[in-house]
Amino acid sequence: MNQDQVPFGDLAREYLSIRAEVDAAINRVLNRGWFILGPEVQAFERQWADFCGAQHAVGVGNGTDALRIALSACGVGPGDEVVTTPFTAVPTVTAIRMLGAWPRFADVEPETGNLDPELLECAITERTKAIVPVHLYGSPCRIGEIVSIAAKHGIPVVEDAAQAHGATVDGRSVATFGRAGCFSFYPSKNLGAYGDAGAIVTDDEVIAARSRMLRDYGQRSRYDHVLEGVNSRLDELQAAVLLAKLPFLAVWNERRRKIAAYYDEALDGELLQPLARPAGSVCHLYVVRSPLREELRSYLAQAGVTTQVHYPRPVHLQPAFSFLGLKEGSFPVAENMARSVLSLPVFPQLSDAEVEHIASCLREFVRGQRLKRSIET
Ligand SMILES: Cc1ncc(COP(=O)(O)O)c(C=O)c1O
């Protein structure tokens, strides 16, 4: 293939592949002239709940609000503690702080980057009001063990499934193991809107009802405000886009898995290690661990391959959270992950030639490094 830039993602390619469906959906909304909490949101909520195998889905403005609203519906408020992972997208923690609650971190396991259930129990105190595990990179965390520990302490689990649309554990969708599960439909997610969007799924009628009120100024019915809510509604245009895209999600996830398996073959397991992807993973990101992360990144950049780092700094070391007083060394596994992970392009519309180009770059990189080592020794 020519050495044009291989992008990290390309939503224009995605749109072109489903243009007729998306255009029809958007036109339907424009012609109806109903933009907030109408038939598209209702239909998407039903279909998304069914897709996940949950009783209820509540569409909200974004994934951060899904977490904030679900936690609030579970009773989390000012001064409470919420246990989560330090190796996640910052909004996991933003949602906790928006409620005036305090994050308490437990370190992650090096194989997947997900919350380590063995370390979870130590982070639980009598002030813990919720646990928020994250299914990072589209890989299910050890949710069964986490839910058992939480149940022992009588603490609700709110799953952050923002990166894990369609991921399963023993055939059951993530986000359905805890009291509630939260999704982001940020455009680049496995199922993405064309703007901000999110959803909460739950089997708990009370959580669903509270979430519905909380997203809409706390109203039970018009002008009857029984909770102090916010404005965070999934809008009709985004719901229509999501409805148009949902039928493709399973095929797109399968394509991601195929690409990931192809990259796995190109890694040597020593200089370049694939992160473990438990069964049921949906490869939102394809992440390599390497002691030579920076060398690999610049090698790929020279070959026209765009990469990203998810995430270069764990949450507890971000300046915004310095008030937590957590220093380097507090969560060594998360910190080591932040130094060594690199995400490769894995979006479904990558061409076979692009995938092959990336895989051969990986093979060449390993060969080059081996040669360099043999000359040096
Ligand atoms: C793990 C995780 N949690 C929460 C969020 C927040 O979602 P949103 O950007 O839709 O608010 C994201 C999205 O970036 C995420 O990746």
Side-chain angles (χ1 to χ4, degrees):
M1 68 164 289
N2 69 34
Q3 300 274 297
D4 284 350
Q5 200 74 13
V6 182
F8 191 76
D10 188 341
L11 292 170
R13 281 191 211 181
E14 181 200 78
Y15 169 60
L16 286 177
S17 75
I18 52 167
R19 185 180 217 158
E21 290 87 345
V22 171
D23 287 1
I26 288 175
N27 281 322
R28 195 169 66 229
V29 176
L30 296 181
N31 285 310
R32 190 185 291 122
W34 186 349
F35 297 103
I36 300 291
L37 295 184
E40 305 290 334
V41 169
Q42 210 173 18
F44 177 69
E45 287 179 340
R46 190 62 266 142
Q47 288 193 26
W48 187 241
D50 290 347
F51 182 88
C52 296
Q55 292 293 316
H56 312 276
V58 180
V60 295
N62 53 69
T64 313
D65 278 347
L67 288 163
R68 143 166 93 146
I69 289 171
L71 285 168
S72 176
C74 288
V76 173
D80 292 338
E81 288 181 0
V82 177
V83 178
T84 191
T85 155
F87 195 58
T88 180
V90 162
T92 309
V93 179
T94 305
I96 297 167
R97 288 297 302 148
M98 282 164 100
L99 294 167
W102 294 87
R104 271 185 78 94
F105 298 114
D107 210 347
V108 296
E109 44 181 27
E111 296 81 10
T112 60
N114 276 327
L115 195 61
D116 188 340
E118 323 277 326
L119 302 173
L120 175 60
E121 201 132 22
C122 308
I124 295 173
T125 73
E126 71 277 6
R127 289 169 64 196
T128 306
K129 289 288 157 45
I131 297 171
V132 179
V134 179
H135 304 287
L136 196 68
Y137 305 145
S139 288
C141 67
R142 286 158 62 189
I143 190 66
E145 289 161 77
I146 292 170
V147 165
S148 307
I149 294 167
K152 204 169 77 186
H153 293 268
I155 300 167
V157 171
V158 173
E159 294 172 70
D160 183 341
Q163 302 187 359
H165 314 73
T168 53
V169 177
D170 297 331
R172 175 172 162 191
S173 170
V174 300
T176 64
F177 289 82
R179 179 82 54 88
C182 297
F183 290 95
S184 162
F185 303 114
Y186 182 82
S188 61
K189 301 297 195 213
N190 291 32
L191 179 65
Y194 289 153
D196 277 314
I200 299 155
V201 298
T202 183
D203 283 342
D204 185 323
E205 230 165 89
V206 175
I207 298 295
R210 274 196 214 142
S211 299
R212 273 183 214 292
M213 290 190 269
L214 286 168
R215 74 173 170 183
D216 191 26
Y217 322 129
Q219 304 184 95
R220 180 164 51 188
S221 57
R222 205 161 198 198
Y223 306 133
D224 180 19
H225 299 259
V226 291
L227 296 172
E228 276 193 282
V230 297
N231 174 2
S232 184
R233 300 166 298 223
L234 174 62
D235 72 63
E236 287 284 289
L237 279 168
Q238 299 308 335
V241 168
L242 291 166
L243 277 169
K245 289 170 82 173
L246 182 54
F248 299 95
L249 177 58
V251 179
W252 286 340
N253 280 347
E254 197 44 46
R255 170 79 179 150
R256 286 173 184 271
R257 281 195 275 259
K258 282 225 168 77
I259 297 171
Y262 200 73
Y263 292 158
D264 282 349
E265 294 290 304
L267 307 186
D268 69 330
E270 187 203 339
L271 290 174
L272 306 184
Q273 304 150 9
L275 229 59
R277 292 192 308 281
S281 157
V282 288
C283 307
H284 172 57
L285 294 170
Y286 183 90
V287 179
V288 182
R289 280 192 81 175
S290 177
L292 304 172
R293 192 255 306 274
E294 294 313 317
E295 290 88 334
L296 175 63
R297 193 166 197 200
S298 44
Y299 184 87
L300 290 171
Q302 274 168 27
V305 177
T306 315
T307 59
Q308 292 186 8
V309 173
H310 301 90
Y311 296 91
R313 201 188 276 166
V315 181
H316 66 284
L317 299 180
Q318 291 288 352
F321 296 99
S322 59
F323 65 90
L324 294 172
L326 296 164
K327 300 275 176 281
E328 183 118 28
S330 308
F331 302 100
V333 183
E335 291 162 22
N336 195 33
M337 301 284 298
R339 280 189 289 267
S340 58
V341 290
L342 187 68
S343 308
L344 309 181
V346 74
F347 61 99
Q349 293 78 24
L350 273 175
S351 71
D352 288 346
E354 286 171 322
V355 173
E356 177 51 40
H357 174 59
I358 294 170
S360 66
C361 285
L362 296 170
R363 286 189 290 264
E364 274 166 35
F365 179 81
V366 170
R367 215 175 300 130
Q369 289 297 329
R370 288 246 167 90
L371 197 64
K372 206 165 128 196
R373 282 188 174 186
S374 68
I375 291 166
E376 282 166 5
T377 53

